[in-house]
Amino acid sequence: MSTVYLLLPILILLILPVAMLALRVVRPRFLSFWFLGTVGVLLAFPLIVASRTQLPIAVQLTNWQPESWLPGGPTLVLDELNWPFVLALAALVLAFFLSEVVRAERADWPSWASSLVITAIGLIGVLSGNLLTVVMSWAAIDAAELVILFSQTLGNAARERILAGFLARIAGIFLVIYAALESTGPSVLLTEIDSLQSGSWILILAIGLRLGILPLQLPLMSSQPAHRSLGTMLRL
């Protein structure tokens, strides 16, 4: 039963964008996207608040194949350490939708759907119980951000900067994986990220790429979507 508090908010936030897209295709004149998104977030937020009474919660999503190479899989863990961050993310997306009430009639469903997707993947990242889940959530966030920024950016020069930043972050992911494998082998992917050797120059380089510090000509804030609130959520 406790797993409901962990998985259901994420599922709600992921299903809502799919529902928005389906409504856009089936009923092009549908204008209540803001209401739909707000109701979904209002359903997810109390579940996250109530999950405080069920701590700790751990769920293994799937088993990696082959098991002889990696006997485990992506795992989500909610405990007293990451619960405040999960609550903060949920509060952020709730505030985002409540502040959008003045724009509800404009039916800016792409921005609202994007914010839900980013929040859901962000929750997975915060809830990651091992390095494997962290890496997978990073890759998912990077892919979602690339699609969002490309859809809201015009001009080849701007898109080239976005793509270069995406490739730099993906390179950071591969360096983290390499640092993990160099540490103790594939089994380290099933441990927490702080189990890696923090002084490794490979890990330091990976962090620089992930945070947008490197390359120096690609600052983290160089490419922002037209929607200011969505841009804030992407950066967070």
Side-chain angles (χ1 to χ4, degrees), residues 16-33 36 105-110 113:
L16 283 173
V18 177
M20 289 182 179
L21 178 59
L23 286 170
R24 181 63 177 177
V25 174
V26 176
R27 298 183 59 185
R29 296 184 180 180
F30 185 80
L31 298 177
S32 300
F33 294 104
L36 179 63
E105 295 182 355
R106 299 182 186 180
D108 187 15
W109 72 271

Side-chain angles (χ1 to χ4, degrees), residues 145 149 153-154 157-166 168-169 211-226 231 235:
E145 182 181 0
L149 292 179
T153 303
L154 299 177
R159 290 192 170 187
E160 287 177 359
R161 289 196 300 270
I162 293 171
L163 183 59
F166 169 77
R169 289 189 292 274
L211 294 178
I213 300 173
L214 299 172
L216 296 177
Q217 71 271 21
L218 294 172
L220 182 65
M221 311 274 288
S222 62
S223 300
Q224 303 176 10
R235 291 191 294 273

Side-chain angles (χ1 to χ4, degrees), residues 89-124:
L89 272 177
L92 178 63
V93 72
L94 178 60
F96 170 77
F97 272 90
L98 293 180
S99 66
E100 289 289 286
V101 64
V102 295
R103 306 175 67 250
E105 295 182 355
R106 299 182 186 180
D108 187 15
W109 72 271
S111 294
W112 298 330
S114 299
S115 67
L116 293 170
V117 171
I118 291 297
T119 303
I121 302 175
L123 287 175
I124 294 174

